[in-house]
Coordinates of all heavy atoms in Angstrom, one line a residue:
F1207 N -9.2 -9.5 -247.1 CA -10.1 -10.4 -246.4 C -9.5 -11.6 -245.9 O -9.9 -12.1 -244.7 CB -11.3 -10.8 -247.4 CG -12.2 -11.8 -246.6 CD1 -12.9 -11.5 -245.7 CD2 -12.3 -13.1 -247.2 CE1 -13.7 -12.3 -245.0 CE2 -13.1 -14.0 -246.6 CZ -13.9 -13.6 -245.5
P1210 N -8.4 -10.5 -242.0 CA -9.4 -9.4 -241.6 C -8.9 -8.8 -240.2 O -8.5 -9.5 -239.3 CB -10.7 -10.0 -241.6 CG -10.5 -11.4 -241.3 CD -9.1 -11.7 -241.9
T1212 N -10.5 -7.3 -237.5 CA -11.8 -7.1 -236.8 C -11.7 -7.2 -235.3 O -10.8 -7.8 -234.7 CB -12.7 -8.2 -237.2 OG1 -12.3 -9.5 -237.0 CG2 -13.1 -8.2 -238.7
F1214 N -14.1 -8.3 -233.4 CA -15.0 -9.2 -232.6 C -14.8 -10.6 -233.2 O -14.2 -10.9 -234.2 CB -16.5 -8.7 -233.0 CG -16.7 -8.5 -234.6 CD1 -16.9 -9.7 -235.3 CD2 -16.8 -7.2 -235.0 CE1 -17.2 -9.5 -236.7 CE2 -16.8 -7.1 -236.4 CZ -17.2 -8.2 -237.2
Q1215 N -15.3 -11.5 -232.5 CA -15.3 -13.0 -232.9 C -16.2 -13.3 -233.9 O -17.4 -13.0 -233.8 CB -15.4 -14.0 -231.7 CG -15.2 -15.3 -232.0 CD -15.5 -16.3 -230.9 OE1 -16.3 -16.1 -230.1 NE2 -14.7 -17.2 -230.7
Q1216 N -15.8 -13.8 -235.0 CA -16.8 -14.1 -236.1 C -17.6 -15.4 -235.9 O -17.0 -16.3 -235.3 CB -16.0 -14.1 -237.5 CG -15.4 -13.0 -237.9 CD -14.6 -13.0 -239.2 OE1 -14.3 -14.1 -239.6 NE2 -14.2 -11.7 -239.7
R1217 N -18.9 -15.4 -236.3 CA -19.8 -16.6 -236.2 C -20.2 -16.9 -237.5 O -20.5 -16.0 -238.4 CB -20.9 -16.3 -235.2 CG -20.4 -16.1 -233.7 CD -21.4 -16.0 -232.8 NE -22.4 -15.0 -233.1 CZ -23.8 -15.0 -233.2 NH1 -24.3 -16.3 -233.2 NH2 -24.4 -14.0 -233.5
L1218 N -20.4 -18.1 -237.8 CA -20.8 -18.6 -239.1 C -21.9 -19.6 -239.1 O -22.0 -20.6 -238.1 CB -19.7 -19.2 -239.9 CG -19.9 -19.6 -241.3 CD1 -20.2 -18.6 -242.4 CD2 -18.7 -20.4 -241.8
L1219 N -22.9 -19.7 -240.0 CA -23.9 -20.7 -240.1 C -24.2 -21.0 -241.5 O -24.6 -19.9 -242.3 CB -25.2 -20.4 -239.4 CG -26.3 -21.5 -239.4 CD1 -25.8 -22.6 -238.4 CD2 -27.5 -20.9 -239.0
K1220 N -24.1 -22.2 -242.1 CA -24.4 -22.5 -243.5 C -25.8 -23.3 -243.5 O -26.0 -24.2 -242.9 CB -23.4 -23.4 -244.1 CG -22.1 -22.6 -244.3 CD -21.0 -23.6 -244.8 CE -20.5 -24.4 -243.5 NZ -19.3 -25.3 -244.0
T1262 N -25.0 -11.0 -243.6 CA -24.1 -10.7 -242.5 C -24.6 -9.6 -241.6 O -25.1 -8.6 -242.1 CB -22.7 -10.2 -242.9 OG1 -22.1 -11.0 -243.9 CG2 -21.7 -10.0 -241.9
N1264 N -23.9 -8.0 -237.8 CA -22.8 -7.8 -236.8 C -21.7 -8.9 -236.9 O -21.0 -9.0 -237.9 CB -23.6 -7.8 -235.4 CG -24.4 -6.5 -235.3 OD1 -24.0 -5.4 -235.7 ND2 -25.6 -6.8 -234.6
D1265 N -21.6 -9.7 -235.9 CA -20.5 -10.7 -236.0 C -21.0 -12.1 -236.6 O -20.2 -12.9 -236.8 CB -20.0 -11.1 -234.4 CG -21.3 -11.7 -233.7 OD1 -22.5 -11.5 -233.9 OD2 -21.0 -12.5 -232.7
A1266 N -22.3 -12.2 -237.0 CA -22.8 -13.4 -237.6 C -22.9 -13.4 -239.1 O -23.4 -12.3 -239.7 CB -24.1 -13.8 -237.0
Q1267 N -22.4 -14.3 -239.8 CA -22.6 -14.5 -241.2 C -23.4 -15.8 -241.5 O -23.1 -16.9 -241.1 CB -21.4 -14.6 -241.9 CG -21.5 -14.6 -243.4 CD -20.1 -14.3 -244.2 OE1 -19.5 -15.4 -244.6 NE2 -19.7 -13.1 -244.4
I1268 N -24.5 -15.6 -242.2 CA -25.4 -16.7 -242.6 C -25.4 -17.0 -244.1 O -25.5 -16.1 -244.8 CB -26.9 -16.4 -242.1 CG1 -27.0 -15.9 -240.8 CG2 -27.7 -17.7 -242.3 CD1 -26.5 -16.6 -239.7
V1269 N -24.8 -18.2 -244.4 CA -24.7 -18.5 -245.9 C -25.9 -19.4 -246.3 O -25.9 -20.6 -245.8 CB -23.3 -19.1 -246.2 CG1 -23.3 -19.5 -247.7 CG2 -22.3 -18.2 -245.8
E1301 N -22.5 -29.7 -247.0 CA -21.8 -28.5 -246.5 C -22.6 -27.9 -245.4 O -22.0 -27.2 -244.6 CB -21.6 -27.5 -247.6 CG -20.8 -28.0 -248.8 CD -20.9 -26.9 -249.9 OE1 -21.3 -25.8 -249.6 OE2 -20.4 -27.2 -251.0
A1302 N -23.8 -28.2 -245.2 CA -24.6 -27.5 -244.3 C -24.6 -27.7 -242.8 O -24.2 -28.9 -242.5 CB -26.1 -27.6 -244.7
D1303 N -24.7 -26.7 -242.0 CA -24.8 -26.8 -240.5 C -26.2 -27.0 -240.2 O -26.6 -27.6 -239.1 CB -24.3 -25.5 -239.8 CG -22.9 -25.2 -240.2 OD1 -22.1 -26.1 -240.2 OD2 -22.6 -24.0 -240.6
E1420 N -28.2 -19.3 -234.0 CA -27.5 -20.7 -234.3 C -26.2 -20.5 -234.7 O -25.4 -21.6 -234.8 CB -28.4 -21.5 -235.1 CG -29.7 -22.0 -234.5 CD -29.4 -22.9 -233.4 OE1 -28.7 -24.0 -233.7 OE2 -29.8 -22.8 -232.2
A1421 N -25.6 -19.4 -235.3 CA -24.3 -19.2 -235.8 C -23.3 -19.6 -234.6 O -23.5 -19.1 -233.6 CB -24.2 -17.8 -236.3
K1422 N -22.3 -20.3 -235.1 CA -21.2 -20.8 -234.1 C -19.9 -20.0 -234.5 O -19.7 -19.6 -235.5 CB -21.1 -22.2 -234.2 CG -22.2 -23.0 -233.9 CD -22.8 -22.9 -232.4 CE -23.9 -23.8 -232.1 NZ -25.1 -23.5 -232.8
P1423 N -19.1 -19.9 -233.4 CA -17.8 -19.2 -233.8 C -17.0 -19.9 -234.8 O -16.7 -21.2 -234.8 CB -17.0 -19.5 -232.3 CG -18.0 -19.6 -231.4 CD -19.2 -20.3 -232.0
N1424 N -16.7 -19.2 -235.9 CA -16.0 -19.7 -237.0 C -15.6 -18.6 -237.9 O -16.3 -17.5 -237.9 CB -16.8 -20.6 -237.7 CG -16.0 -21.6 -238.6 OD1 -14.8 -21.4 -239.0 ND2 -16.7 -22.7 -239.0
K1425 N -14.6 -18.7 -238.9 CA -14.3 -17.6 -239.7 C -15.5 -17.4 -240.8 O -15.9 -18.4 -241.3 CB -12.9 -17.8 -240.5 CG -11.7 -17.6 -239.3 CD -10.5 -17.8 -240.1 CE -9.2 -17.5 -239.1 NZ -8.0 -17.7 -239.8
W1426 N -15.6 -16.2 -241.1 CA -16.5 -16.0 -242.3 C -16.0 -16.6 -243.5 O -14.7 -16.5 -243.8 CB -16.8 -14.5 -242.4 CG -17.6 -13.8 -241.3 CD1 -18.1 -14.3 -240.3 CD2 -17.8 -12.5 -241.3 NE1 -18.8 -13.5 -239.4 CE2 -18.5 -12.2 -240.0 CE3 -17.4 -11.3 -241.9 CZ2 -19.0 -11.0 -239.5 CZ3 -17.9 -10.0 -241.5 CH2 -18.6 -9.9 -240.2
L1427 N -16.9 -16.9 -244.5 CA -16.5 -17.4 -245.7 C -16.2 -16.3 -246.7 O -15.6 -16.5 -247.7 CB -17.6 -18.5 -246.2 CG -17.7 -19.7 -245.5 CD1 -18.8 -20.6 -246.2 CD2 -16.5 -20.4 -245.2
Y1428 N -17.0 -15.1 -246.4 CA -17.0 -14.0 -247.4 C -16.8 -12.7 -246.5 O -17.2 -12.7 -245.4 CB -18.3 -13.9 -248.2 CG -18.6 -15.2 -248.9 CD1 -19.3 -16.3 -248.4 CD2 -18.2 -15.3 -250.3 CE1 -19.6 -17.3 -249.1 CE2 -18.5 -16.5 -250.9 CZ -19.2 -17.5 -250.5 OH -19.4 -18.6 -251.1

Side-chain angles (χ1 to χ4, degrees):
F1207 173 62
T1212 56
F1214 53 83
Q1215 184 181 41
Q1216 296 178 346
R1217 297 186 298 128
L1218 177 69
L1219 186 73
K1220 292 173 285 183
T1262 304
N1264 295 322
D1265 63 334
Q1267 184 169 94
I1268 315 300
V1269 179
E1301 298 176 10
D1303 302 312
E1420 285 296 304
K1422 300 294 188 292
N1424 204 345
K1425 287 185 178 180
W1426 291 353
L1427 298 181
Y1428 303 92

